[in-house]
Amino acid sequence: MHDDRIHVGGDLDPKSAAYDIAIVGGGPGGYVAAIYGARQGARVVLIEKDTPGGTCLNRGCIPTKALVRTTEVYKTMQEAARYGCRGENIQVDFGRAMARKNRVVSGLVKGVESLLNKHTVTVLGGWGRLVDRETVAVKTTDHETLVKARHIIIATGSEPVSLPIPGALGSYTIDSTQALELQELPSSMVIIGGGVIGMEFAFIFARLGVKVTVIEYLDRILSLLDHDLSQEVFRSARTAGIKIHTSAKVTSIEEGADGQGVVAFEHAVTGEAFPELSAEKVLMAVGRRPFLEGVGAAELGIELDDSSGGIRVDDRMQTNIENIYAIGDVTGQLMLAHVASHQGIVAVDNILGQHSVMDYRAVPNAIFTDPEIAAVGISEDEAKARGIAVKVGRFPFAGNGKALTLGMSRGFVKLVTEPDTGIIIGGSVVGPGATDLIGEITLAVQHRLTARQVARTIHAHPTLPEAILEAAWAAESGALHLAD
Ligand code: NAI
């Protein structure tokens, strides 16, 4: 139902509160919600204690991808001879690579600031704290301003967690933020956690010449993915010189004689101790938790989710308090930038009286390891575990002309379909361009396209998406460029 107190377009009623929406936190959740809300004519204030863009832009997705690009260029130059080129004395200048990364980040931050400005979003720098249901106190170092709004969106994000073990906070221990601020390349690094962050950094640092060891608690790395996908990356990691210990639990970190971190770990099931590992840096990548510090949520009686510790929301992103919404990592759900942005749009729609709900059936996951991995919808392993009958169409990049010309023929595309209807309910890609290719599969899953419809769509030749076309044929009546 439309909330007639909402100001949409025109001049504000001076008797009403100053803002329609106050958003606390300017990451990909908050800033997208702000721009979208302003575009719909609402008066929006965005409160951010740091620079706009949040973790993703400043300390996550973007800076890591800028460094991934450096490793790609370096690797290609090292392998120049494979492509008939000559290159000698190829070296990484870590300082310049980091400076480039910083330039990419600051360029994007400026872009976001200018978008907010162009859409007439009021941006207030400072720490936002909810003091009542319609008031946010914004604190800077020397003063506090009270901001009134009819609706509030909490979008304060998440922070890295640390293990509750001795030595976890030693000088040699870093988190993902500090890893992106290193001034010099360490000679060696132990990464605790073989999840998304751990493996992306493992490839970055190993490719730059750091001796990397990953310690993962579960029996395989990237356990959120199908076995065949994580196995592909496991093999590639080994080839890149990354040592991986699985089913391994870190018990303590101590300072060694030379200032290095000495990591003690044991078998996660038997408890048998492994030989200790020493490294110049120990990167903690064991997950993130919702960031609720000083936001005032608990004081206002905003309910939290028992399992994630994040703010509990319904599928309209509304909290238990009618005019307060929460989006992004702070909800403790899928901690992905693009999910946060989408949740922001859903929250604003509901605030502006348009019923809108989150639909998580087609959320793509993009992981920038080497090779890249991406997945969407129901996976083959998940279908098996849930007893859902599926037909899987698979096609290897080894049969794709473009992949062969790129010299990147490792990996495959996999489509998961309903056997009776052929509807594509999930898919994954491991290999060249995986994180871009997932777009087509996401569209298919979201709109319940069938393998036949994709197979009957003309795909340009020679391109990587032809591997999706062939996987669709494989699920339909058999791949054309595969002798099976
Ligand atoms: P994660 O949950 O993906 O991985 C943490 C890993 O640490 C797990 O595999 C876990 O088994 C392991 N672990 C936990 N305790 C351990 C112990 N004591 N010893 C050894 N291993 C232990 O969390 P991660 O990688 O920190 O990422 C946090 C969030 O950020 C995730 O939700 C992730 O999806 C998101 N993210 C997504 C990215 C992307 O989509 N490209 C990039 C970076 C982060």
Side-chain angles (χ1 to χ4, degrees):
M1 213 179 70
H2 186 76
D3 181 345
D4 58 11
R5 295 184 311 163
I6 292 288
H7 163 79
V8 180
D11 290 330
L12 264 187
D13 173 1
K15 292 192 292 299
S16 68
Y19 292 99
D20 300 319
I21 312 172
I23 301 171
V24 186
Y31 90 71
V32 170
I35 292 173
Y36 179 68
R39 265 198 179 277
Q40 306 304 304
R43 237 188 109 160
V44 183
V45 57
L46 180 68
I47 298 144
E48 169 57 58
K49 64 178 169 55
D50 213 323
T51 28
T55 299
C56 174
L57 215 163
N58 294 287
R59 299 173 293 280
C61 330
I62 297 299
T64 50
K65 264 78 270 179
L67 291 180
V68 165
R69 181 68 187 139
T70 292
T71 67
E72 284 169 356
V73 171
Y74 184 42
K75 186 182 166 199
T76 309
M77 289 169 83
Q78 285 173 314
E79 294 175 347
R82 272 183 70 196
Y83 302 95
C85 303
R86 246 198 279 269
E88 275 154 32
N89 197 21
I90 309 296
Q91 285 174 16
V92 170
D93 183 334
F94 187 61
R96 292 177 84 155
M98 293 297 261
R100 172 184 179 269
K101 181 258 306 175
N102 293 340
R103 281 197 304 276
V104 173
V105 169
S106 60
L108 276 168
V109 168
K110 280 199 193 87
V112 170
E113 283 170 342
S114 126
L115 283 172
L116 290 164
N117 189 29
K118 290 223 168 76
H119 288 95
T120 60
V121 173
T122 306
V123 180
L124 295 179
W127 193 293
R129 178 175 55 89
L130 278 66
V131 288
D132 66 40
R133 291 175 181 211
E134 294 193 351
T135 313
V136 182
V138 184
K139 195 172 182 340
T140 57
T141 36
D142 48 10
H143 69 283
E144 192 170 84
T145 315
L146 293 182
V147 174
K148 286 271 178 197
R150 298 192 183 289
H151 293 84
I152 297 171
I153 299 177
I154 303 175
T156 48
S158 61
E159 60 180 344
V161 296
S162 185
L163 286 177
I165 54 167
L169 301 175
S171 56
Y172 34 76
T173 309
I174 54 173
D175 60 20
S176 54
T177 306
Q178 292 157 325
L180 289 166
E181 288 164 358
L182 288 173
Q183 303 291 316
E184 283 170 21
L185 265 186
S187 58
S188 56
M189 182 179 284
V190 165
I191 300 181
I192 305 178
V196 182
I197 293 182
M199 290 314 299
E200 285 192 353
F201 275 109
F203 276 98
I204 290 172
F205 285 112
R207 291 276 184 227
L208 295 177
V210 179
K211 200 173 138 222
V212 174
T213 308
V214 174
I215 304 178
E216 166 56 46
Y217 181 78
L218 298 174
D219 62 2
R220 63 189 176 103
I221 56 163
L222 297 169
S223 59
L224 79 162
L225 297 167
D226 277 359
H227 281 76
D228 51 359
L229 292 155
S230 65
Q231 191 58 32
E232 190 70 40
V233 176
F234 180 79
R235 276 198 293 267
S236 164
R238 294 258 292 259
T239 311
I242 300 166
K243 289 215 173 83
I244 299 178
H245 295 273
T246 51
S247 300
K249 182 180 163 192
V250 175
T251 50
S252 70
I253 313 170
E254 274 175 23
E255 184 167 348
D258 47 3
Q260 296 210 333
V262 181
V263 182
F265 62 114
E266 60 185 33
H267 194 281
V269 182
T270 63
E272 187 192 336
F274 289 111
E276 291 176 341
L277 288 171
S278 286
E280 206 177 315
K281 292 288 172 206
V282 178
L283 170 61
M284 195 73 79
V286 293
R288 299 180 62 90
R289 67 169 157 242
F291 184 75
L292 279 160
E293 196 186 313
V295 177
E299 295 82 341
L300 263 187
I302 296 175
E303 283 173 8
L304 303 186
D305 181 76
D306 292 339
S307 56
S308 70
I311 295 179
R312 182 181 292 159
V313 285
D314 61 13
D315 59 2
R316 301 168 62 245
M317 309 315 298
Q318 195 175 34
T319 68
N320 60 310
I321 298 180
E322 208 190 339
N323 68 319
I324 302 181
Y325 291 71
I327 58 170
D329 288 9
V330 76
T331 64
Q333 298 177 353
L334 290 168
M335 291 194 178
L336 296 169
H338 41 284
V339 170
S341 302
H342 203 86
Q343 289 174 331
I345 290 166
V346 167
V348 170
D349 274 343
N350 285 302
I351 287 171
L352 299 182
Q354 289 161 31
H355 184 74
S356 176
V357 294
M358 274 304 290
D359 172 2
Y360 295 98
R361 273 177 316 158
V363 175
N365 229 313
I367 305 171
F368 295 78
T369 43
D370 178 13
E372 292 181 352
I373 321 170
V376 65
I378 294 178
S379 74
E380 188 181 9
D381 286 1
E382 185 188 350
K384 231 176 259 166
R386 288 168 55 188
I388 304 171
V390 290
K391 184 168 181 203
V392 174
R394 214 180 138 102
F395 190 78
F397 282 108
N400 177 273
K402 179 70 185 288
L404 290 166
T405 64
L406 291 173
M408 300 163 91
S409 54
R410 237 184 146 132
F412 54 86
V413 173
K414 185 161 74 161
L415 293 181
V416 180
T417 66
E418 286 178 358
D420 44 349
T421 61
I423 290 172
I424 299 167
I425 55 171
S428 44
V429 187
V430 56
T435 56
D436 293 317
L437 292 174
I438 203 64
E440 178 176 345
I441 308 179
T442 304
L443 204 63
V445 173
Q446 177 73 39
H447 297 286
R448 296 180 64 74
L449 299 184
T450 62
R452 184 181 169 78
Q453 285 171 313
V454 172
R456 298 282 169 157
T457 301
I458 300 174
H459 285 63
H461 176 75
T463 61
L464 296 172
E466 285 176 292
I468 300 174
L469 171 77
E470 287 286 354
W473 275 117
E476 174 60 8
S477 54
L480 304 179
H481 289 84
L482 198 64
D484 53 1

